[in-house]
Amino acid sequence: MHPDLEKVLITEQELEERIKELGEQISRDYAGKEILVVGILKGAMIFLADLVRSITVPTYFDFMAVSSYGAGARSSGVVRILKDLDRPIEGRHIIIVEDIVDTGLTLNYLVQNLQARNPASLKICTLLDKPSRREVEVTIDYNGFSIPDEFVVGYGLDYNERYRNFPSIGVLKREVYVK
Ligand code: PRP
């Protein structure tokens, strides 16, 4: 285990098994349809890469990159689109793929933004959910793991852009982020 980690919260094997289940569930739910998976960069990239490999219905990808405005504007829930989708989504079955839902502000904004583009359907799939941090209600259709309010990194999740490449999800030692 990396010395900056206090503990491993979700092992590689647990991730693999749960993500396979999510992929199978999505494949059943969308049988006979095509889906467009919208990955939210950068955190969701590793989860998305593994998830889509266990989806058996025709699957297309697109990506968005968003960032929240400074701390002051945070509670307004307005996010800035750094990279928008490449193509229109009208009439398509969309699944937003996130690594984590925390306050819910990012997803709340994204759902409203994408819904306005008239998709045939719009669902949310997240690897992790921290329900204790929620500020706005978000309906999560597919959730890998509900976790406590701990500083998690790895498997796409970062602290100051570090640790994204760790194969499991770990809890960061407090001394690493509290100086
Ligand atoms: C994380 C995560 C979500 C958002 C969740 O992204 O990927 O997009 O925060 O938080 P919320 O529910 O409080 O809005 P982050 O801004 O860390 O960017 P990253 O994916 O590039 O790491």
Side-chain angles (χ1 to χ4, degrees):
M1 190 175 74
H2 191 282
D4 289 357
L5 293 184
E6 185 185 298
K7 64 176 176 190
V8 171
L9 189 66
I10 308 173
T11 65
E12 282 183 71
Q13 195 186 341
E14 287 166 336
L15 286 166
E16 188 184 324
E17 287 171 8
R18 181 69 186 123
I19 291 166
K20 193 160 175 285
E21 285 174 3
L22 288 175
E24 288 167 357
Q25 192 184 345
I26 289 170
S27 304
R28 281 195 300 274
D29 291 353
Y30 289 88
K33 299 189 178 117
E34 282 183 0
I35 58 174
L36 175 68
V37 160
V38 171
I40 310 304
L41 299 171
K42 310 180 187 99
M45 64 175 186
I46 294 179
F47 172 45
L48 184 144
D50 282 341
L51 177 71
V52 292
R53 279 180 279 186
S54 57
I55 296 177
T56 52
V57 298
T59 300
Y60 295 80
F61 307 165
D62 208 338
F63 296 92
M64 285 180 85
V66 295
S67 93
S68 51
Y69 284 99
R74 183 82 180 123
S75 56
S76 70
V78 175
V79 305
R80 190 157 54 106
I81 296 180
L82 305 177
K83 184 225 168 291
D84 205 342
L85 297 175
D86 289 344
R87 303 222 175 138
I89 57 171
E90 187 169 355
R92 307 196 63 179
H93 295 290
I94 309 300
I95 302 178
I96 301 176
V97 177
E98 264 289 21
D99 53 345
I100 187 164
V101 184
D102 189 17
T103 63
L105 291 168
T106 305
L107 264 178
N108 184 55
Y109 174 84
L110 283 172
V111 165
Q112 290 180 43
N113 185 289
L114 296 186
Q115 203 77 65
R117 306 183 197 193
N118 297 318
S121 66
L122 181 61
K123 286 193 179 182
I124 292 172
C125 177
T126 186
L127 177 64
L128 305 176
D129 181 18
K130 265 189 191 176
S132 62
R133 295 260 309 161
R134 201 72 89 251
E135 289 179 23
V136 287
E137 201 185 314
V138 174
T139 304
I140 298 173
D141 303 283
Y142 305 99
N143 175 33
F145 302 88
S146 292
I147 61 167
D149 187 14
E150 298 200 86
F151 201 132
V152 286
V153 295
Y155 199 76
L157 290 100
D158 73 310
Y159 168 60
N160 276 348
E161 300 298 327
R162 291 188 66 192
Y163 314 114
R164 290 194 198 273
N165 60 316
F166 286 5
S168 57
I169 301 223
V171 175
L172 201 56
K173 280 183 181 161
R174 212 178 139 72
E175 69 223 44
V176 177
Y177 59 92
V178 179
K179 298 285 180 207

